[in-house]
Amino acid sequence: MITLGIVVPCFNEEAVLPETSRRLGAMLGRLRGSGKVGPSSRIFFVDDGSRDRTWPLIEGMVAAGEPVAGIRLSRNRGHQNALLAGLLAAPGDALVSIDADLQDDVGQIEAMVDRHAEGCDVVYGVRKRRDADTWFKRVTAAGFYRLIALMGVETVRDHADYRLLSRRAIEGLRGYGEVNLYLRGIVPLLGFRTATVEYARSERRAGESKYPLRKMLGLALEAITSFSVVPLRLITLIGFFVFSFSAMMVAWTLWVRFFTNEAVPGWTSTTLPIYLLGGLHILCLGVIGEYLGKLYQEAKRRPRYIIERCL
């Protein structure tokens, strides 16, 4: 029998939080009744600097004696940092992370616990269907997974942050100190025995998505620049071809100048290389600048989050 912790990052989730607590609490009750988890198992709600009544609701659940604990960050630090704060602060032999919107199938937690009992340290929740997502989100998600695979980033397709981690895996995760967090890329690096459980993604029960297009693009950028050097190698390759082409153009220009009478300077032949090379330079500097920005953030070693209060 293990002690299970369920870590739920929350940001302005007052509309859905009571239902989330009810369903997760019922799941814990069934697991306790079957003897799969111990009586000290808890749900850990991590308040990521919410501006609504999320934290008072968490306080009320704790005061009412529900199997709930609260972790409040001093300010909003983003989903990945809030999730990491919960994983590193919550006790337990195994921790399950799940979003508060109830789009992930709560019923699969039991299957995760079963896979953990069989010896797996990491159990991924993988979406077998995304019918609840919009066409745009399904297409962009598929494109994202293809892109990061081409970039050499190891990840689990159609897996978000719904997973079980054993205590050994949590302690391994503690050793990763980067500021630019992409947990979906870090967890596969742990190297422990893994398993997957499949589920159908549901529609959000209440409230609104905390991952609009802007944040999705930001997460994709974090994934690529935090785990892959392929963009830098592509710049080197582009630079090689541009240099080779430029060298051939120089040789051709010299041949026309010294061995023919057709050396008439033209506007196109003057401006086109300027625009071409100028554009490539700006593109390359932008990509290199993104990596330098990562180095700048890592070098400062600022804390990823500060816990204000625990209940």
Side-chain angles (χ1 to χ4, degrees):
M1 184 181 299
I2 65 170
T3 298
L4 180 69
I6 303 177
V7 177
V8 187
C10 305
F11 178 66
N12 294 340
E13 298 287 5
E14 66 172 337
V16 74
L17 199 60
E19 178 65 12
T20 302
S21 177
R22 185 190 69 79
R23 292 188 60 187
L24 290 176
M27 170 55 63
L28 272 183
R30 289 195 296 272
L31 291 174
R32 286 172 180 158
S34 63
K36 293 183 178 181
V37 303
S40 58
S41 299
R42 290 285 183 274
I43 305 164
F44 295 87
F45 288 113
V46 184
D47 180 15
D48 186 23
S50 297
R51 295 185 292 271
D52 62 0
R53 297 187 62 256
T54 294
W55 183 249
L57 286 174
I58 296 172
E59 289 181 314
M61 294 173 192
V62 174
E66 297 182 24
V68 167
I71 300 171
R72 187 179 190 182
L73 304 189
S74 61
R75 61 181 294 270
N76 178 252
R77 296 298 301 170
H79 176 271
Q80 295 289 283
N81 283 310
L83 177 54
L84 183 68
L87 291 174
L88 298 187
D93 301 311
L95 300 178
V96 171
S97 59
I98 186 172
D99 290 340
D101 55 18
L102 295 177
Q103 288 189 275
D104 299 320
D105 184 3
V106 173
Q108 292 302 316
I109 293 177
E110 183 171 5
M112 291 182 175
V113 172
D114 291 339
R115 300 291 85 74
H116 173 66
E118 294 169 1
C120 295
D121 288 285
V122 181
V123 184
Y124 298 105
V126 177
R127 301 160 182 165
K128 61 181 178 181
R129 295 197 312 272
R130 305 180 67 113
D131 298 338
D133 291 339
T134 63
W135 174 86
F136 177 77
K137 189 164 186 178
R138 290 197 301 268
V139 170
T140 53
F144 167 71
Y145 285 114
R146 291 192 186 98
L147 177 60
I148 61 175
L150 289 173
M151 293 292 176
V153 181
E154 184 180 356
T155 189
V156 178
R157 185 179 177 86
D158 289 327
H159 163 70
D161 287 295
Y162 186 28
R163 67 177 75 89
L164 177 146
L165 296 174
S166 69
R167 176 50 53 186
R168 182 167 64 168
I170 293 293
E171 293 308 313
L173 182 63
R174 197 183 299 275
Y176 287 81
E178 54 250 55
V179 174
N180 304 285
L181 278 178
Y182 181 64
L183 291 174
R184 302 176 203 178
I186 294 176
V187 172
L189 298 179
L190 296 176
F192 296 115
R193 181 181 173 187
T194 66
T196 61
V197 296
E198 293 186 338
Y199 66 96
R201 186 171 171 82
S202 305
E203 293 184 0
R204 186 180 177 90
R205 293 302 180 99
E208 60 182 18
S209 173
K210 304 306 183 296
Y211 260 100
L213 180 60
R214 174 180 58 84
K215 288 190 175 182
M216 288 172 61
L217 292 175
L219 186 64
L221 189 62
E222 291 285 356
I224 294 171
T225 56
S226 296
F227 288 89
S228 176
V229 295
V230 171
L232 292 176
R233 291 172 179 168
L234 287 176
I235 289 176
T236 303
L237 187 62
I238 291 172
F240 172 77
F241 282 114
V242 171
F243 175 78
S244 301
F245 176 76
S246 301
M248 289 187 290
M249 290 296 294
V250 169
W252 177 78
T253 302
L254 292 175
W255 183 81
V256 171
R257 172 65 180 82
F258 292 109
F259 298 101
T260 72
N261 295 321
E262 300 175 359
V264 179
W267 179 85
T268 302
S269 62
T270 301
T271 57
L272 185 59
I274 292 175
Y275 282 109
L276 175 63
L277 296 176
L280 285 172
H281 286 162
I282 293 173
L283 173 64
C284 295
L285 287 174
V287 176
I288 294 172
E290 180 65 28
Y291 279 90
L292 288 176
K294 301 293 183 188
L295 291 173
Y296 168 68
Q297 291 178 316
E298 296 290 349
K300 289 185 294 186
R301 307 304 298 170
R302 290 177 178 173
R304 291 172 294 198
Y305 56 84
I306 298 174
I307 296 176
E308 178 182 324
R309 187 180 176 191
C310 292
L311 296 176

